[in-house]
Amino acid sequence: MTNERDKVLVIDDEPQIRRFLRISLVSQGFSVIEADTGAQGIARAREETPDLVLLDLGLPDMDGQAVLDELRAQGSVPVIIVSVRGQEAEKVRALDSGANDYVTKPFGIQELLARVRSLLRHQKSPDTTEGVEHYRHAGLTVDLSAHRVSLHGTSVRLTPKEYAVLALLVRQAGRVVTQAQLLRDVWGASHTHDSHYLRIVISKLRHKLGDDPQSPRLLQTEAGIGYRLLAPRDVAT
């Protein structure tokens, strides 16, 4: 159940999309603020301090990426991109620029609402915010402060690269981490295109953690974009 004080800012120039989102969000207990241009959206974000932003990239006065940059300069409000631009390069660019998630139009409203609720939970919960040092889900326990990983109570031995990748995913649990970010932070800036390094490490992690890529409980692949370590409440029970 969402908190009625949760405010969602919808920045989209299509009236029918804003109306559809407003009706859907209000029905779930959210308060909705609307903007039909990038400049208006930036101003509303500054004035209204929303809890989450739904941002279209194709705005009439400025590119949505520029709006995202300004929102990130203002603070850390969660941002979900909702756009017809479905190319992998656009998704990666937005996520690398600080977007928390990306949904391509046309979209299923239940999926979008689930992502909204998940991001708000992560934003508010001390156990799932960025920088977390502890993770526990589906039998996996990670204690970054103690440099310890266990599965169903049994210690798991990881190589330095495997541990570094897992640690980065733990600190961003519930969020998509792009391949470029993982490669840059773990292997270095000169290896941002060496995705085969990352695929090998992810495959070995899945094997050691007993995770099935076809039905993941832990490591979810976002095709062509990156990976998400599922937080406990991201998985339906």
Side-chain angles (χ1 to χ4, degrees):
M1 185 71 69
T2 186
N3 187 317
E4 290 185 2
R5 295 175 296 176
D6 289 335
K7 293 189 293 185
V8 177
L9 170 59
V10 177
I11 307 176
D12 197 302
D13 64 325
E14 298 182 60
Q16 64 272 29
I17 293 292
R18 293 200 310 274
R19 181 175 182 275
F20 174 59
L21 288 173
R22 181 177 67 252
I23 291 172
S24 300
L25 289 162
V26 168
S27 73
Q28 298 297 307
F30 293 99
S31 172
V32 178
I33 312 156
E34 298 180 36
D36 58 8
T37 67
Q40 187 181 54
I42 291 169
R44 289 281 171 86
R46 186 179 296 113
E47 295 162 3
E48 302 283 351
T49 59
D51 297 290
L52 183 140
V53 177
L54 297 178
L55 172 64
D56 183 25
L57 294 180
L59 298 169
D61 59 332
M62 60 196 298
D63 190 78
Q65 290 280 356
V67 179
L68 176 60
D69 291 341
E70 181 59 32
L71 291 173
R72 279 292 156 263
Q74 290 182 21
S76 59
V77 59
V79 177
I80 299 178
I81 302 296
V82 183
S83 176
V84 294
R85 301 180 191 174
Q87 300 92 338
E88 290 178 3
E90 287 283 357
K91 295 180 180 181
V92 170
R93 182 184 171 203
L95 291 164
D96 275 342
S97 296
N100 299 79
D101 213 335
Y102 198 113
V103 175
T104 305
K105 297 177 182 176
F107 53 85
I109 189 59
Q110 293 305 319
E111 177 188 358
L112 179 61
L113 289 171
R115 295 192 186 203
V116 167
R117 289 190 293 265
S118 178
L119 267 178
L120 287 171
R121 284 196 300 267
H122 297 155
Q123 185 76 359
K124 294 176 180 180
S125 171
D127 293 330
T128 53
T129 54
E130 185 174 343
V132 69
E133 294 293 307
H134 301 271
Y135 174 90
R136 181 175 294 174
H137 175 59
L140 175 65
T141 300
V142 182
D143 184 345
L144 297 180
S145 59
H147 207 279
R148 186 162 51 237
V149 178
S150 62
L151 185 66
H152 301 297
T154 301
S155 180
V156 178
R157 296 183 63 180
L158 301 177
T159 67
K161 285 290 191 290
E162 291 165 357
Y163 181 84
V165 168
L166 181 61
L168 184 53
L169 291 170
V170 164
R171 292 191 173 102
Q172 304 261 11
R175 294 181 56 178
V176 178
V177 184
T178 64
Q179 294 182 34
Q181 181 181 346
L182 285 161
L183 288 164
R184 182 176 58 248
D185 290 359
V186 176
W187 280 270
S190 63
H191 293 283
T192 54
H193 298 292
D194 296 330
S195 57
H196 59 287
Y197 291 169
L198 183 57
R199 285 197 299 270
I200 291 170
V201 167
I202 291 292
S203 177
K204 289 182 176 179
L205 272 174
R206 282 185 167 135
H207 176 72
K208 291 182 178 182
L209 301 179
D211 201 35
D212 180 0
Q214 301 304 315
S215 182
R217 294 171 300 136
L218 295 167
L219 289 169
Q220 182 179 68
T221 300
E222 296 288 343
I225 302 171
Y227 300 92
R228 185 197 312 262
L229 181 65
L230 297 175
R233 295 180 68 181
D234 287 333
V235 183
T237 56

